């Protein structure tokens, strides 16, 4: 065994893992009985008696390592006893603590051994704070484990353990160690008999208050100041006997000028109020009120006032926890009576700011419990009603008093519950809150809402808020009274003239939406008829008042029953509108409302989905398609914008359908439910009207909603392969005339991309790739007209997008696309096409089942950025160079900052060139990119500071050539420079920037002038070197 010890001693300094393996080998010998524990201990003899502390410590560490590696039941109790004594005798030697830590975790370790270790620690570590932090942590860790596993034995030591532990941990300053210290002391404070030692224990932790620790950025233990504050607060709040020490000290600390100290004090008061026993809290409740009210009425900040209110409420919550808290002689009443009396005295003056704060105090105390609410209500509410009556006609005073009532209503809901929620105490108190004042309160708030001038917006907003809260309060108003409130809101929304920003109308709609959640029948019986009557049968007069009505209907249709009723009535109204030849904007607004309501419900198993399928998808699409083939007159449904919103609605419904209905829809992608035998799908039509081509919008939305595994056919009669389908769509894309609407042209291309990306099998992607090469090698070479080139370029980029999102032949495809930029005929058109590659699309999206690989954006950009940079540098033709910059800006607009930063070295020179281009979109995208860079990697811009400043100032001053949004963004980038870049780099340009900004202050747009003022302030705020020297 001496060999193992020697190996360990020689190895432990160089390799902890190798030393552990040596100890493990010893354990194997013990388990196989090649050696015994006595042999192991005896082999240490010559080393543990060494004068050299280092050698002794290593020898003890070897034994500790062996014990730590032993199975939990290997040692018998006698062996553990002997080893425990052995380590206690050498507890100050390194390694002994580790040995004891291992022993106490063994199954046969008993309480007597725990006491032996604790006493050895008390005797040997009276100078604990003179030892290194690591050793202190090991000692505290051992003590903490003993407290966790053998608490009773240590607690039975009584005063000896209490004083011993307190003295042992006294003076600790290391944050990691303090976390353990606070845990140990909390156990003692909570579970030991601390009689005659309260002050000692309190000051053992209070000496650390307040915590001002700031962790270093490289702290490996991730201990925060909040962690320490929480542990310290738990200690202080752990025992009611600390109250005579806690509260006076906290009150003194509240005089601090530091907001952080005040906040810590308030948090501690709250914690103690909720933890100490009722008698202790009652003894200091009024003293605490005197201090806390000052923090509320003279608050340094809203946050501190809020924390003080929370503390006040916590006291009331704790004092409510008695058998008869509602009694006038209870601890709770003794706390609340002086407060309510003082508040009522202050309320008599009706000073606006003070009344608001007093209302917050009363409201927060009311929310503590039902007894607290009832005690305050019976004294304060009659007084408030009298004060309100005395100040009638003085709107400002009336408003602040209504705000106090609103505080009461909010508290009543919290305590007694609303129609949709029951409080946690189960509403045990049968007394109806505010019941005796119901009629008067309803009268006051109704008069304030409906009897005031419409100019008194803020006053009326408070009134409507109060009425809503009273209607929410469980069993407070009857249905007819809530119905009156609904009628008020109807009148405000529909009859009352607009004023200002229509804040009161918005509040009325919101009130109806809230009421609909707990009284939906009232909304359907009163509001729906009134709102629907306001919707005209036609808008031929051009009045768009219906938009406000529809918006209101959408917002109030929160509940399922209401939304179903609304959808049914709106579909009926749509039929009337279409017969009346209304403008497309009206039909669009109705369909948008239906879409909003359906989307908000998000119910996959909506029982009405099948009826929506029949009425919306089949019915409305058929009404849209038949007029395009001469069967009926064109209606608003044939407008492209209306078709888009109808397509979105159909897409939503089909998404939520399953099985047979989706399969049925898949067979109507191109026949569009026309129901006509021999109907020719649009892609197979040689010539078709613009109205007919618009129906591809609907086909595309239907296709997007389908599962990827459905079969695609033109119709039941016309079966086709996917190859024929693709070629038919491509032909359609190329043959779109100028008379075809832009929407139809866009959706034909989206349709093409969707088929390739979503429905083509991986083995069939070569079909799409071949189409791309046909464009590239064939059609484009024959085109000399830029307008005709665009018709070819657009399908190329949509096909490429579909393939690139699947990461198919990425490098080859992107190389071909970049080659298009070299053309003087269609290079500029191709450059704008690069914007499409990474831009999000509502059709080609994950929500529609499109295949979008996570790494696709990164791969596309990392190939394009260096490729475009190389082509830019190698090109000598000045008319071609801008193409590469435009293409790059199109990619930058949609790439994430993380991906962009990886190519920053390549990008910066090109970005500087892009700022010189005349193309507005490119310039705007470049400025936005620079804003991202200056925020995330400002150091990279410092060597280009002069060029950037000059170009950004030029853009900011070009009022005729540059749109206001880009001028403002350019100034925004310049504003960031002094905040992010080194002042040493920027100071040489300070005066020239100031001169340029002075001229921009005359910009015709206010938002640009405001940004220029902010920018100038940041630049002038930089210190000149001369100023620094003088300081």
């Amino acid at each position: 065994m001496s060999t193992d010890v020697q190996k360990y001693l020689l190895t432990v300094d160089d390799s902890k893992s190798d030393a552990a393996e040596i100890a493990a080998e010893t354990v194997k010998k013990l388990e196989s009985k090649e050696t015994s524990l006595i042999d192991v201990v005896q082999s240490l003899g010559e080393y543990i008696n060494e004068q050299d502390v280092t050698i002794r410590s290593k020898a003890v560490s070897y034994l500790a390592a062996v014990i730590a590696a032993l199975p939990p039941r290997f040692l018998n109790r006698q062996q553990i006893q002997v080893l425990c004594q052995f380590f206690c005798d050498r507890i100050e030697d390194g390694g002994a603590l580790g040995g004891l830590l291992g022993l106490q975790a063994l199954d046969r370790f008993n309480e007597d051994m725990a006491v032996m270790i604790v006493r050895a620690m008390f005797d040997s570590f009276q100078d604990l704070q003179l030892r290194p932090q690591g050793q202190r942590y090991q000692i505290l860790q051992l003590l903490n484990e003993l407290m966790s596993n053998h608490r009773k034995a240590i607690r039975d030591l009584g005063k000896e353990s209490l004083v011993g532990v307190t003295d042992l941990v006294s003076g600790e300053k290391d944050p990691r160690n303090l976390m353990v210290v606070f845990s140990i002391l909390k156990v003692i404070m909570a579970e030991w008999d601390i009689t005659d030692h309260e002050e000692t224990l309190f000051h053992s932790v209070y000496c650390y208050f307040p915590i001002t620790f700031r962790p270093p950025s490289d702290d490996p233990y991730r201990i925060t100041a909040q962690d320490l504050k929480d542990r310290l607060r738990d200690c202080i709040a752990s025992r009611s006997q600390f109250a005579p020490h806690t509260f006076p000290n906290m009150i003194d600390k509240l005089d601090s000028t530091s907001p952080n100290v005040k906040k810590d004090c308030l948090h501690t008061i709250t914690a103690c109020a909720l933890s100490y026993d009722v008698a202790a809290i009652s003894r200091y409740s009024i003293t605490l009120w005197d201090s806390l009210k000052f923090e509320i009425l003279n608050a340094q900040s809203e946050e501190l006032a809020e924390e003080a209110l929370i503390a006040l409420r916590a006291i009331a919550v704790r004092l409510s926890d008695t058998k008869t808290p509602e009694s006038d002689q209870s601890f709770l009443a003794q706390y609340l009576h002086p407060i309510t009396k003082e508040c009522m005295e202050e309320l008599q003056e009706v000073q606006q700011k003070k009344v608001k704060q007093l209302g917050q105090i009363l409201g927060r105390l009311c929310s503590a419990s039902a007894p607290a609410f009832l005690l305050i209500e019976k004294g304060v509410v009659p007084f408030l009603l009298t004060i309100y009556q005395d100040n009638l006609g003085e709107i400002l005073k009336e408003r602040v008093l209504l705000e106090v009532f609103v505080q009461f209503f909010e508290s009543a809901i919290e305590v007694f519950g609303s129609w949709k929620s029951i409080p946690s105490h189960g509403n045990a108190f049968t007394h109806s809150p505010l019941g005796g004042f119901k009629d008067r309160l309803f009268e006051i708030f109704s008069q304030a809402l409906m009897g005031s001038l419409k100019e008194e917006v803020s006053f009326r907003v408070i009134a409507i808020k109060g009425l809503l809260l009273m209607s929410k309060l469980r069993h407070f108003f009857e249905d007819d009274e809530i119905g009156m409130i609904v009628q008020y809101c109807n009148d405000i929304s529909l009859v009352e003239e607009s004023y200002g920003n229509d804040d009161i109308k918005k509040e009325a709609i919101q009130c109806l939406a809230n009421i609909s959640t707990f009284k939906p029948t009232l909304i359907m019986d009163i509001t729906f008829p009134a709102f629907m009557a306001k919707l005209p049968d036609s808008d031929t007069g051009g009045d768009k008042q219906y938009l406000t009505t529809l918006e209101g209907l959408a917002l109030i249709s929160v509940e399922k029953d209401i939304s179903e009723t609304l959808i049914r009535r709106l579909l009926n109204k749509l039929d009337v509108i279409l017969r009346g030849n209304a403008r497309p904007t009206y039909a669009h607004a109705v369909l948008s409302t239906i879409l909003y309501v359906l989307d908000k419900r998000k119910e996959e198993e909506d029982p009405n989905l099948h009826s929506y399928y029949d009425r919306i998808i089949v019915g409305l699409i058929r009404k849209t398609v038949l007029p395009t083939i001469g069967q009926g007159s064109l209606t608003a449904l044939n407008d492209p914008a209306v078709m888009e919103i109808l397509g979105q609605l159909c897409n939503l419904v089909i998404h939520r359908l399953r099985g047979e209905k989706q399969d049925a829809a898949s067979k109507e992608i191109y026949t569009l439910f026309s129901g006509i035998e021999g109907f020719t799908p649009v892609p197979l039509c040689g010539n078709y009207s613009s109205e007919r081509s618009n129906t591809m919008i609907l086909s595309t939305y239907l296709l997007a909603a389908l599962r990827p595994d459905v079969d695609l056919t033109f119709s039941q009669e016309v079966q086709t392969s996917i190859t024929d389908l693709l070629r038919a769509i491509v032909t359609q894309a190329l043959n779109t005339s100028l008379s075809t609407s832009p929407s139809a042209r866009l959706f034909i291309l989206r349709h093409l991309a969707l088929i390739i990306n979503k429905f083509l099998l991986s083995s069939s992607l070569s079909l799409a790739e071949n189409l791309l090469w046909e464009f590239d090698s064939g059609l484009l070479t024959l085109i000399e007209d830029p307008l005709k080139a665009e018709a070819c370029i657009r399908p190329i980029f949509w096909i490429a997008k579909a393939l690139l999102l699947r990461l198919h032949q990425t490098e080859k495809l992107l190389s071909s696309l970049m080659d298009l930029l070299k053309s003087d005929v269609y290079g500029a058109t191709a450059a704008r096409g690069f914007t499409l590659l990474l831009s999000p699309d509502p059709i080609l999206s994950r929500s529609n089942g499109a295949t979008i690989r996570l790494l696709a954006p990164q791969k596309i950009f990392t190939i394009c950025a260096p490729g475009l940079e190389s082509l830019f540098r190698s090109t000598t033709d000045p008319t071609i160079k801008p193409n590469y910059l435009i293409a790059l800006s199109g990619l930058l607009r949609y790439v994430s900052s993380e991906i962009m930063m990886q190519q920053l070295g390549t990008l910066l020179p090109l970005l500087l060139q892009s700022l010189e281009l005349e193309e507005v979109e490119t310039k705007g995208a470049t400025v936005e990119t620079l804003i991202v860079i200056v925020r995330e990697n400002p150091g990279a811009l410092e060597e280009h500071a002069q060029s950037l400043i000059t170009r950004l100032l030029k853009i900011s001053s070009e009022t005729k050539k540059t749109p206001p949004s880009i001028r403002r963004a350019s100034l925004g980038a310049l504003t960031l420079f002094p905040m992010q870049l080194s002042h040493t780099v920027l100071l040489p340009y300070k005066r020239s920037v100031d001169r340029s900004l002075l001229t921009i202050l005359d910009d015709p747009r206010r938002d640009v002038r405001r940004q220029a003022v902010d920018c100038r302030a940041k630049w002038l705020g930089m210190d000149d070197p001369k100023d620094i020297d003088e300081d």
Side-chain angles (χ1 to χ4, degrees):
M1 289 311 303
S2 59
T3 305
D4 286 350
V5 178
Q6 290 169 354
K7 285 181 184 178
Y8 186 91
L9 296 179
L10 293 171
T11 306
V12 67
D13 287 337
D14 298 326
S15 175
K16 300 288 185 187
S17 59
D18 289 346
E21 287 181 10
I22 293 168
E25 286 295 325
T26 304
V27 170
K28 288 180 182 177
K29 293 175 184 178
L30 287 168
E31 289 179 318
S32 64
K33 299 187 178 179
E34 291 179 40
T35 187
S36 66
L37 188 61
I38 295 174
D39 294 335
V40 174
V41 175
Q42 286 177 348
S43 68
L44 300 175
E46 62 181 294
Y47 302 109
I48 59 175
N49 295 316
E50 272 281 349
Q51 294 297 317
D52 189 335
V53 176
T54 304
I55 294 175
R56 288 204 314 271
S57 297
K58 289 179 183 178
V60 175
S61 295
Y62 166 70
L63 183 58
V66 171
I67 292 170
L70 285 170
R73 300 187 67 82
F74 184 84
L75 298 176
N76 60 40
R77 186 160 295 167
Q78 184 178 3
Q79 289 173 322
I80 296 173
Q81 177 76 35
V82 171
L83 288 170
C84 190
Q85 187 64 61
F86 175 85
F87 283 124
C88 284
D89 292 342
R90 294 162 181 78
I91 197 168
E92 296 192 52
D93 289 337
L97 291 169
L100 290 169
L101 199 59
L103 286 173
Q104 66 85 33
L106 296 177
D107 292 350
R108 295 189 175 96
F109 186 89
N110 62 28
E111 295 184 349
D112 291 338
M113 300 171 197
V115 170
M116 181 197 307
I117 296 174
V118 167
R119 283 175 170 160
M121 293 173 72
F122 292 162
D123 293 340
S124 302
F125 297 128
Q126 295 178 358
D127 58 346
L128 182 63
Q129 297 312 312
L130 301 178
R131 296 172 183 269
Q133 183 272 336
Q135 188 180 9
R136 298 202 309 275
Y137 180 73
Q138 200 174 16
I139 294 166
L140 293 170
Q141 192 179 31
L142 174 59
L143 181 58
N144 192 48
E145 289 296 321
L146 291 169
M147 293 281 284
S148 298
N149 300 327
H150 308 281
R151 186 174 303 170
K152 182 178 182 304
I154 301 172
R155 184 172 60 235
D156 289 345
L157 292 175
K159 178 180 177 181
E160 179 186 356
S161 60
L162 187 153
V163 175
V165 171
T166 306
D167 289 345
L168 182 68
V169 303
S170 176
E172 182 58 64
K173 294 181 180 178
D174 179 78
R176 185 185 180 206
N177 292 353
L178 276 175
M179 292 291 286
V180 183
V181 167
F182 290 151
S183 295
I184 293 169
L185 289 175
K186 184 190 174 184
V187 171
I188 292 177
M189 291 171 173
E191 299 185 20
W192 265 241
D193 178 4
I194 65 170
T195 306
D196 299 331
H197 299 282
E198 299 94 333
E199 188 171 2
T200 300
L201 275 173
F202 175 79
H203 285 288
S204 70
V205 292
Y206 181 71
C207 61
Y208 297 103
F209 190 92
I211 298 287
T212 56
F213 166 67
R214 289 187 179 180
S217 57
D218 57 348
D219 180 17
Y221 306 115
R222 305 293 182 193
I223 295 171
T224 65
Q226 192 59 49
D227 293 332
L228 290 167
K229 288 178 182 181
D230 291 343
R231 290 275 177 95
L232 174 58
R233 191 180 307 124
D234 288 343
C235 289
I236 294 174
S238 63
R239 204 66 177 260
S240 298
Q241 287 92 321
F242 293 152
H245 309 287
T246 301
F247 291 132
N249 279 292
M250 290 300 122
I251 290 169
D252 287 344
K253 291 285 187 184
L254 280 174
D255 291 335
S256 170
T257 57
S258 167
N260 286 332
V261 173
K262 282 179 175 286
K263 188 160 66 171
D264 288 346
C265 288
L266 293 170
H267 285 164
T268 304
I269 290 171
T270 300
C272 294
L274 294 171
S275 176
Y276 290 173
D277 63 41
V278 173
I281 297 300
S282 179
R283 194 175 307 120
Y284 293 94
S285 60
I286 301 304
T287 307
L288 288 168
W289 153 247
D290 289 335
S291 296
L292 292 172
K293 74 180 178 186
F294 181 85
E295 299 302 325
I296 299 167
L297 300 176
N298 304 277
Q300 294 180 3
S301 68
E302 291 292 329
E303 184 182 13
L304 287 177
E306 176 62 21
E307 293 298 339
L309 287 167
I310 291 171
L312 272 181
R313 181 183 184 277
I315 296 170
V317 168
R318 190 73 183 96
L319 295 178
S320 300
D321 191 15
T322 59
K323 289 184 178 180
T324 55
E326 66 275 15
S327 164
D328 287 339
Q329 305 303 316
S330 66
F331 288 137
L332 179 62
Q334 292 172 25
Y335 171 59
L336 293 177
H337 285 161
I339 296 176
T340 53
K341 181 181 178 182
E342 190 170 339
C343 287
M344 286 191 290
E345 290 172 356
E346 294 287 346
L347 281 168
Q348 286 181 328
E349 299 179 16
V350 197
Q351 295 179 8
Q352 186 171 355
K353 183 178 179 182
K354 187 173 283 189
V355 170
K356 180 181 178 182
Q357 293 165 334
L358 293 168
Q360 289 174 333
I361 291 171
L362 292 170
R364 200 60 63 92
L365 289 171
C366 282
S367 71
S369 64
F373 188 97
L374 300 177
L375 284 169
I376 295 172
E377 173 202 342
K378 66 183 180 183
V380 175
V381 174
F383 172 78
L384 286 173
L385 290 171
T386 302
I387 293 292
Y388 187 88
Q389 185 67 35
D390 293 343
N391 288 278
L392 281 176
E394 299 185 53
I395 293 293
L396 289 177
K397 292 184 177 181
E398 286 184 56
R399 188 179 69 194
V400 294
L401 289 169
L402 289 186
E403 287 175 346
V404 177
F405 281 119
V406 165
Q407 295 276 353
F408 271 87
F409 302 154
E410 289 174 342
S411 298
I413 291 172
E414 184 176 349
V415 173
F416 296 96
S418 67
W419 291 103
K420 298 196 72 174
S421 66
I422 297 176
S424 57
H425 57 69
N427 210 3
F429 291 84
T430 56
H431 179 90
S432 177
L434 303 169
F437 313 105
K438 181 181 76 170
D439 294 340
R440 180 65 180 133
L441 288 171
F442 185 80
E443 178 189 349
I444 286 173
F445 278 85
S446 297
Q447 180 63 31
L449 177 62
M450 304 306 292
S452 302
L453 296 174
K454 67 178 181 180
E455 290 82 1
E456 300 293 345
V457 176
S458 60
F459 181 54
R460 299 181 73 202
V461 166
I462 290 294
I464 205 169
K465 185 176 180 181
L467 287 169
L468 172 61
L469 289 170
M470 284 189 283
S471 68
K472 280 184 175 182
L473 185 58
R474 178 180 291 271
H475 302 305
F476 186 66
F477 279 155
E478 300 296 330
D479 279 5
D480 58 340
E481 292 165 319
I482 300 176
M484 289 277 292
I485 298 171
V486 170
Q487 189 61 56
Y488 293 159
C489 293
N490 290 349
D491 293 344
I492 292 169
S493 303
L494 300 174
V495 180
E496 196 171 289
E497 293 182 4
S498 294
Y499 178 78
N501 295 325
D502 277 340
D503 290 339
I504 190 64
K505 286 180 177 284
K506 294 173 186 175
E507 200 71 30
I509 290 292
Q510 193 58 49
C511 180
L512 290 171
N514 275 283
I515 292 174
S516 73
T517 63
F518 56 88
K519 292 292 181 181
T521 305
L522 292 176
I523 298 298
M524 288 191 283
D525 292 347
I526 301 173
T527 299
F528 266 21
F531 272 68
M532 294 302 295
K534 280 289 182 178
L535 291 176
D537 292 342
S538 176
D539 70 334
T540 51
D543 183 11
K544 293 188 177 181
Q545 184 63 38
Y546 59 79
L547 291 175
T548 305
T549 306
L550 286 169
E551 181 183 1
L553 282 168
L555 291 173
I556 64 178
S557 301
V558 178
E559 292 298 298
K560 178 182 174 182
D561 292 341
I562 295 179
S563 62
E564 289 174 357
T565 303
L566 176 63
I567 291 170
R568 187 172 59 253
R569 294 192 182 188
L570 287 180
L571 287 172
N572 293 337
K573 176 60 72 173
L574 182 63
D575 290 338
V576 175
I577 291 169
L578 295 176
R579 288 196 298 269
N581 294 319
R583 298 183 185 187
T585 51
Y586 192 9
H588 187 281
V590 172
L591 287 171
S592 296
T593 305
I594 296 172
L595 177 63
Y596 174 84
V597 173
L598 263 181
D599 185 51
K600 190 168 59 173
R601 284 170 62 176
K602 297 189 182 302
E603 294 178 21
E604 298 296 330
E605 300 299 329
D606 189 334
N608 296 297
L609 280 176
H610 290 279
S611 66
Y612 296 153
Y613 178 88
D614 294 334
R615 189 159 185 194
I616 296 174
I617 297 177
V618 178
L620 292 182
I621 289 181
R622 183 174 291 162
K623 287 180 181 179
T624 305
V625 173
L626 290 180
T628 68
I629 57 173
Q631 298 196 14
S633 302
L634 296 173
T635 66
L637 289 176
N638 295 101
D639 181 81
V642 178
M643 280 195 190
E644 281 199 47
I645 201 70
L646 176 57
Q648 292 175 44
L649 190 53
C650 295
N651 180 276
L652 178 66
V653 173
I654 292 178
H655 258 306
R656 295 180 179 179
L657 286 168
R658 294 288 182 269
E660 294 179 1
K661 287 293 185 182
Q662 273 220 3
D663 292 335
S666 70
K667 294 178 175 57
E668 300 284 353
I669 298 297
Y670 302 105
T671 53
L672 295 171
F673 306 96
S674 62
I676 297 176
E677 187 175 348
F679 179 87
T680 306
V682 170
L684 296 184
C685 292
N687 294 307
Y688 47 78
S689 64
S690 62
E691 288 80 11
R692 185 80 189 279
S693 69
N694 287 340
T695 61
M696 283 300 290
I697 297 172
L698 298 174
S699 293
T700 305
Y701 273 111
L702 292 176
L703 183 68
L706 298 179
R707 304 185 311 274
D709 60 347
V710 299
D711 293 327
L712 299 182
T713 58
F714 280 126
S715 67
Q716 297 286 3
E717 296 81 15
V718 184
Q719 302 296 317
T720 182
S721 68
I722 196 78
T723 305
D724 294 335
L725 178 58
L726 278 176
R727 289 197 175 277
I729 303 294
V730 168
T731 302
Q732 189 186 16
L734 289 174
N735 291 342
T736 49
S737 63
L738 293 176
S739 63
T740 305
S741 71
S743 290
R745 291 198 292 270
L746 173 61
F747 274 87
I748 289 168
L749 293 168
R750 281 174 165 167
H751 200 97
L752 174 63
L754 189 63
I755 293 173
I756 294 169
N757 180 274
K758 181 176 177 181
F759 294 97
L760 266 188
L761 299 174
S762 297
S763 58
S764 303
L765 288 178
S766 57
L767 297 175
E769 198 178 339
N770 292 336
L771 284 174
L772 200 58
W773 305 140
E774 287 178 21
F775 278 106
D776 197 1
S777 60
L779 292 173
L780 283 176
T781 58
L782 303 176
I783 292 176
E784 296 181 358
D785 183 353
L787 290 177
K788 292 182 179 178
E790 184 171 355
C792 249
I793 292 291
R794 286 165 63 86
I796 287 175
F797 274 90
W798 276 100
I799 294 171
K801 179 184 179 79
L803 292 169
L804 289 169
L805 292 178
R806 294 180 69 163
L807 290 179
H808 176 76
Q809 297 287 341
T810 309
E811 293 188 19
K812 184 179 177 181
L813 288 175
L814 290 173
S815 177
S816 298
L817 294 180
M818 287 189 280
D819 285 342
L820 298 177
L821 302 173
K822 299 174 183 177
S823 170
D824 57 354
V825 177
Y826 49 76
T829 303
R832 289 190 290 274
F834 274 79
T835 303
L836 176 69
L837 296 181
L838 294 180
S839 62
D841 188 79
I843 297 295
L844 207 61
S845 64
R846 285 194 176 91
S847 62
N848 280 323
T851 304
I852 303 176
R853 297 304 243 334
L854 286 175
L855 293 178
Q858 181 174 357
K859 190 163 185 180
I860 292 170
F861 189 74
T862 52
I863 292 172
C864 285
L868 291 170
E869 191 264 349
S870 175
L871 289 168
F872 177 84
R873 295 199 180 282
S874 62
T875 302
T876 56
D877 188 343
T879 62
I880 300 299
K881 276 183 175 286
N883 294 345
Y884 303 112
L885 300 177
I886 293 168
L888 179 64
S889 71
L891 292 170
L892 285 170
R893 187 173 302 169
Y894 300 108
V895 76
S896 68
S897 60
E898 293 82 3
I899 296 173
M900 181 178 62
M901 290 301 166
Q902 297 171 11
Q903 301 290 328
L904 196 54
T906 301
L907 293 175
L908 277 175
L910 299 183
L911 292 173
L912 290 171
Q913 297 278 345
S914 298
L915 290 174
E916 297 288 343
L917 295 179
E918 294 297 323
E919 184 153 330
V920 169
E921 289 186 3
T922 302
K923 198 181 293 184
T926 304
V927 171
E928 293 298 330
T929 303
L930 286 171
I931 289 173
V932 173
I933 295 172
V934 78
R935 281 179 174 148
E936 299 195 12
N937 192 2
L941 299 180
E942 291 185 349
E943 61 178 299
H944 305 285
Q946 182 176 6
S947 300
L948 284 169
I949 291 168
T950 303
R951 286 170 168 82
L952 290 171
L953 284 170
K954 181 182 176 184
I955 293 170
S956 304
S957 60
E958 292 174 337
T959 55
K960 294 183 179 179
K961 292 165 51 177
T962 307
S965 60
I966 298 178
R967 300 203 302 273
R968 186 176 65 252
S970 181
L971 287 167
L974 278 171
T975 305
L976 291 171
F977 275 34
M979 301 162 63
Q980 301 291 108
L981 273 65
S982 167
H983 287 190
T984 306
V985 173
L986 298 180
L987 281 170
Y989 315 109
K990 178 178 174 180
R991 292 182 182 176
S992 63
V993 170
D994 185 36
R995 286 195 298 270
S996 299
L997 289 173
L998 285 173
T999 63
I1000 298 171
L1001 291 175
D1002 295 326
D1003 191 281
R1005 290 292 295 261
R1006 179 184 296 177
D1007 53 349
V1008 177
R1009 296 197 300 270
R1010 186 183 297 117
Q1011 186 65 61
V1013 170
D1014 294 342
C1015 182
R1016 187 166 181 258
K1018 294 296 182 185
W1019 278 82
L1020 293 177
M1022 292 191 299
D1023 292 324
D1024 287 323
K1026 165 171 71 175
D1027 299 332
I1028 296 171
D1029 293 340
E1030 289 173 2
D1031 291 343

